């Protein structure tokens, strides 16, 4: 009987582990203060499609417009996070984004680090897409560095914290403090090093967002709404002195991840990653040399 109970407990533990990530053992979001929206951001476009209530920003897309916001200051490294809640139901073709970019400073030759939620159809999960563009690889002939995930929770049921940590050594994407991707700096040509601003937006990307454009935005379901709160943007601004020390996603001041964080990231990539550009045989990997080793 005792052996039977032990076997059941082991089965329950292994089953639950398949549905929720192991603890990362460190919570970087707790190390950075939240800020009010107007202290750190300004409207970029679609002001009539933004509403701020108790420091929770609602932005929406309808037939007439989407909306976007932008940080007041550019950064050269830092921790950038927000708690976001997505709309349920039919959202195909709609992108809800939280990202770093210097497109306005370097049009046609910009850098970008993306967290994008790709809208979906009834009964299918959102796809969280992470991406990195370097020196114009997102302009013209696009060379994306996408890794995509289906989350281990329903992002429409409540707020969850999504973050990008960008340092001179690496970019780490986190969901509720769980690292889901680490993009190390292997060379200057494959890593963004110019200052970037922090953005958020909702917009119509019907041509590609949902199953490569198979499903389009359907405005009979408008407005498409996204909510942001718990804004965090902490690090070295573009105007900070050279001795400004980059922030870290781990207990190590030098950066990287600890063993528990790596274990949590491996779990996410094993059970919830649905696309990795480095493993795509249709891609020309001469254009993405960071995949080689």
């Amino acid at each position: 009987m005792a052996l039977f109970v032990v076997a059941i407990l082991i089965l329950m533990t292994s089953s639950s582990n398949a549905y929720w990530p192991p603890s990362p053992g460190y919570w970087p979001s707790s190390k950075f203060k939240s800020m009010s929206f107007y202290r750190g951001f300004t409207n970029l476009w679609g002001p009539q499609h933004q509403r701020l209530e108790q420091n929770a920003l609602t932005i929406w897309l309808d037939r007439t417009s989407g909306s976007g916001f932008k940080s007041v200051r550019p950064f050269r490294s830092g921790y950038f996070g927000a708690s976001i809640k997505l709309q349920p139901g039919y959202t195909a073709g709609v992108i809800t984004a939280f990202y770093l970019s210097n497109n306005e400073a370097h049009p046609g030759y910009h850098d970008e680090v993306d967290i994008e939620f790709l809208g979906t159809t009834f009964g299918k999960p959102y796809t969280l897409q992470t991406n990195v563009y370097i020196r114009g690889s997102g302009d013209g002939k696009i060379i994306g560095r996408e890794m995509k995930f289906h989350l281990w929770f329903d992002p429409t049921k409540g707020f969850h914290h999504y973050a990008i940590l960008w340092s001179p050594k690496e970019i780490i994407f986190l969901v509720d403090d769980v690292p889901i991707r680490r993009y190390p700096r292997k060379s200057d040509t494959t890593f963004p090093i110019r200052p970037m601003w922090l953005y958020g937006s909702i917009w119509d990307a019907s041509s590609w967002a949902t199953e490569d454009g198979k499903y389009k935005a359907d405005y009979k379901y408008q407005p498409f709404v996204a909510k942001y709160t718990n804004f965090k943007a902490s690090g070295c601004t573009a105007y900070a002195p050279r001795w400004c020390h980059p922030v870290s996603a781990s207990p190590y001041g030098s950066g990287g991840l600890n063993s528990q964080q790596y274990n949590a990231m491996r779990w996410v990539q094993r059970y919830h990653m649905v696309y990795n550009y480095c493993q795509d045989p249709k891609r020309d990997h001469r254009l993405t040399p960071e995949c080689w080793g």
Side-chain angles (χ1 to χ4, degrees), residues 220-241:
K220 74 182 180 184
Y221 299 109
Q222 69 175 23
F224 301 103
V225 176
K227 297 182 178 181
Y228 296 71
T229 190
N230 194 20
F231 296 97
K232 301 191 178 196
S234 182
C236 298
T237 72
Y239 317 117

Side-chain angles (χ1 to χ4, degrees), residues 37 43-46 49-50 57-61 66-70 84 86 94-99 112 114-117 198-204 224-228 231:
F37 177 79
N43 173 262
L44 182 63
W45 57 286
H49 287 67
Q50 287 188 13
L57 179 73
T58 300
I59 60 176
W60 62 92
L61 166 72
S67 190
F69 58 90
K70 175 186 178 182
I84 303 172
L86 303 176
V94 178
I95 296 286
T96 302
F98 188 69
Y99 63 103
E112 188 169 314
D114 293 329
I115 291 177
E116 297 174 309
F117 300 94
L198 178 61
Y199 294 82
S201 62
I202 188 166
W203 54 289
D204 187 333
F224 301 103
V225 176
K227 297 182 178 181
Y228 296 71
F231 296 97

